Amino acid sequence: MSLMREKKNKDVIRGIVFYGINNIYAVKADGREWLCRIKGKVLKEDKRYYNPIAVGDIVFFLPDDHLDDRGWITRRENRKSFLVRWNKKKRAPQIIAANADVLVCLSSVDNPPFRPRFLDRLIISGVYGGLEPIVVINKIDLGVTDGMDGRVGDFKKAGYRVIYTSAKMGIGIEELKSVIFGHTVVFAGQSGVGKSSILNAICPDWDIKVGEISRKYNRGAHTTNFAKLYQLDESTALIDTPGIRELELYGIDPDELWHYFPEFLPFLEGCEYPSCKHISEPICGVKEAVANGKLSYERYESYVRLYDQLKEAKARDYERY
Ligand code: GDP
Ligand code: ZN
C-alpha cells in the first residue's frame, strides 16, 4: 500500500447520521457534529433508491480539506435493519430510518380516526426490514369503541405488544418508556396522532432539542418533513419520522404476504397445497379458520385487500420488488 493511501485511510471517520436534508447529512462522530455530502460512489451503488443514506445509517467520511466540521461521505455500513416504503411519486423505495431495532406503530383512538389497516401495513414494513413492531394507541382519554377493541385484540393475538397511551393525561408513558429504553426506536404514524406529544412526554426537554436542530441545519424551513435521531443515553436512541399519510409496501411479493400474518400459521396444515395463498383455493385452512371464527375476519380481509393491491402493483411497478 502506498503511503498516500495509508494516510487517506487514517483520516476516514466513522459516524452516525442523525439528520438529513437536501443531500446534506448531519453526522455525529466522537461527540462532534459534522455536515457531510456524498462523494459519488455511494450514490451510484444505490441508484435505485430515493435516498442512498437515511437517518440512523453508519457512514464513513473524509473531513473537508478546507472547511471545519464539513466532510465527504465515502461509504455506508451495511444496515442491520431498515424501515422502507414505496415512494409512489418518485417510483422508488425510500428508506425512512436505518439500524433501529424497535418500530413504534403509532395511532390514535380518534382524531384522526383509528386506522387498523394502516397499522397492518406499518407492522408489515417493520417486520420486513427486521424491526420489532409495537402498537401504540394514543388519545386513550377519548375512550375506546367496541369495534376498535376487537381489532386491537387481533394485534395482541398475532403476537404484537399493544400499549394504550394518553400524552395529554400522562397515561401509558412509563410503560412505553420501559419497553423502549435500551433500544433504538423508530416512531412512525400518521400526522396528528400525537407523535410529538408522546416524544415530549418521554423526553420533556425535547422541544429545546428540536429547536436547536432546526436552527442549526434547517434555516427556518419546515422541520417536520425529515426524520431525526435523538440519542437519549448510551444505549437508547429515538428516531422521529415525519407523519406518513400513505404507506405503500415495498419489496414484498404478494405470494409471500401471508408470512406477515403470524396468526395464520397454526392453520396452514389445513391447506391442500403448500403454495396456498389463502385467497381462492377451495381447500384452505386459513379460510376455514376465518369461517369458523378462529381467525379474525377483519385481519383476513385486510390481508386479501393488501394481496390484491400488491398483485396489481406488481403488474405495474416492477421496480417495487
Ligand atoms: P403529531 O402530528 O403526531 O406529532 O401530533 P401532535 O403531538 O402535534 O398532536 C396533534 C393533536 O393531538 C394536538 O392538538 C394535541 O394536543 C392532540 N393530542 C396529542 N396527544 C393527545 C392525547 O393523548 N389525547 C388527546 N385528547 N389529544 C392529544
Ligand atoms: Zn390456505
Side-chain angles (χ1 to χ4, degrees), residues 38-45 72-73:
I38 292 171
K39 222 179 157 200
K41 268 186 192 158
V42 188
L43 259 174
K44 271 179 207 148
E45 185 189 307
W72 295 93
I73 295 171

Side-chain angles (χ1 to χ4, degrees), residues 205-268:
D205 51 351
W206 205 262
D207 272 338
I208 303 156
K209 286 191 197 162
V210 173
E212 268 171 20
I213 283 201
S214 60
R215 260 198 306 284
K216 209 161 157 192
Y217 306 111
N218 216 3
R219 298 199 192 96
H222 257 291
T223 48
T224 47
N225 288 325
F226 301 90
K228 305 169 207 87
L229 180 142
Y230 301 93
Q231 197 79 42
L232 292 197
D233 61 42
E234 228 169 72
S235 59
T236 310
L238 303 184
I239 299 176
D240 184 14
T241 66
I244 307 170
R245 199 169 307 146
E246 267 185 275
L247 184 89
E248 297 229 14
L249 300 179
Y250 169 76
I252 296 170
D253 193 282
D255 292 342
E256 288 177 358
L257 181 66
W258 61 268
H259 296 179
Y260 298 88
F261 287 75
E263 70 268 44
F264 291 2
L265 266 167
F267 303 101
L268 297 180

Side-chain angles (χ1 to χ4, degrees), residues 25-38:
Y25 300 92
V27 181
K28 212 165 258 177
D30 299 330
R32 264 178 79 183
E33 290 172 13
W34 302 74
L35 286 187
C36 299
R37 286 174 187 273
I38 292 171

Side-chain angles (χ1 to χ4, degrees), residues 3 21 66 98 103 128 147 152 191 226 247 265 277 293 303 319:
L3 256 176
I21 179 168
H66 308 290
L103 171 66
Y128 172 73
V152 171
S191 62
F226 301 90
L247 184 89
L265 266 167
K277 307 299 177 299
Y303 165 74
E319 311 97 319

